[in-house]
Amino acid sequence: MMSLTGIQMKRENTILGIIGGTGFEGVPEFEITRQQVVNTPYGEPSSALYRVSLHGNPSIFLSRHGTGSRIMPHQINYRANIFALRDLGVTDVIAMGAVGGITPQFTTGSLALPDQVIDYTWGREHTFFDNAVDLDIRTRESGHTEFAYPYDHHLRESILNCAKITGIPVIDHGVYGVTQGPRLETAAEIDRMDRDGVDVVGMTAMPEAALARELGMSYATLAMVVNPAAGRSDEPISMESIHQVLENTTDKAHQLLLSLSSVG
């Protein structure tokens, strides 16, 4: 059996970081080898960082919303989270996230790997180039980070190849619209996003993806579609129905992550 490093990642000495989102706060089925509290120049990360073993391959897990989902999307210290992962040597990040489906292909219960982002957020600390304190950042020539394609192509292909091998269906495209939260969207806002070309809506992909790019980390989102977006169903959106869908969808996402280090 080949490892993730052997067949899936594009570089040697890859260390995988996993950011857990809604429904993915804990680390079940991962063998925890160490728990670390990391201090950063940007404050505290959302949670301790867990060194975990995926079939013998070292990875690092961080809970985006903290223990018990106590941190709302607009209150997350995205800079501290990404800096802490990089500080522990993470090179490639798979970020989990619950989203609502807007266009027909993105049905409730499906998994998707978006390939584009539209950022509707505001007021978030979105760059390391404000009073940057990290030497690698300070010495760069410009803060104008290239971001035409926000999700790393090679990392996405690695995940998609693994999904094909294991038979876990994953939609291999999609535009992720990122809203401010914490409230859900209006039907009119979703209609506007549909006109903008958005396929799924969530609250956490930005500035997370851009910060990872600033630090030179490969980044991909594994989106779990947990409900139709506002106005896309006759039924109102409820947290109860979302959590019911999450149970099954999270299980598929777990299987995919575990298989990344076991298929060959």
Side-chain angles (χ1 to χ4, degrees), residues 176-236:
Y176 186 138
V178 195
T179 58
Q180 179 70 358
R183 69 164 176 85
L184 298 174
E185 302 73 34
T186 68
E189 287 170 334
I190 294 300
D191 287 342
R192 173 199 172 189
M193 290 182 206
D194 195 358
R195 293 191 295 271
D196 286 348
V198 173
D199 295 296
V200 296
V201 59
M203 300 177 186
T204 58
M206 289 290 290
E208 199 172 82
L211 292 169
R213 178 65 59 85
E214 285 187 356
L215 293 190
M217 302 161 74
S218 299
Y219 180 98
T221 288
L222 183 59
M224 302 176 287
V225 183
V226 296
N227 60 272
R232 291 301 194 259
S233 171
D234 294 334
E235 298 295 325

Side-chain angles (χ1 to χ4, degrees), residues 52-64:
V52 299
S53 177
L54 301 181
H55 293 285
N57 295 290
S59 303
I60 294 176
F61 178 89
L62 180 146
S63 176
R64 184 189 290 118

Side-chain angles (χ1 to χ4, degrees), residues 80-91:
N81 287 350
I82 294 298
F83 189 93
L85 288 169
R86 203 289 299 267
D87 197 45
L88 293 187
V90 167
T91 59

Side-chain angles (χ1 to χ4, degrees), residues 12 33 42 68 97 102 104 106 118 128 153 158 165 186 200 208 237:
E12 294 182 357
T33 60
Y42 304 96
I102 296 178
F106 295 81
I118 298 179
F128 287 110
H153 170 74
S158 297
I165 292 170
T186 68
V200 296
E208 199 172 82
I237 298 172

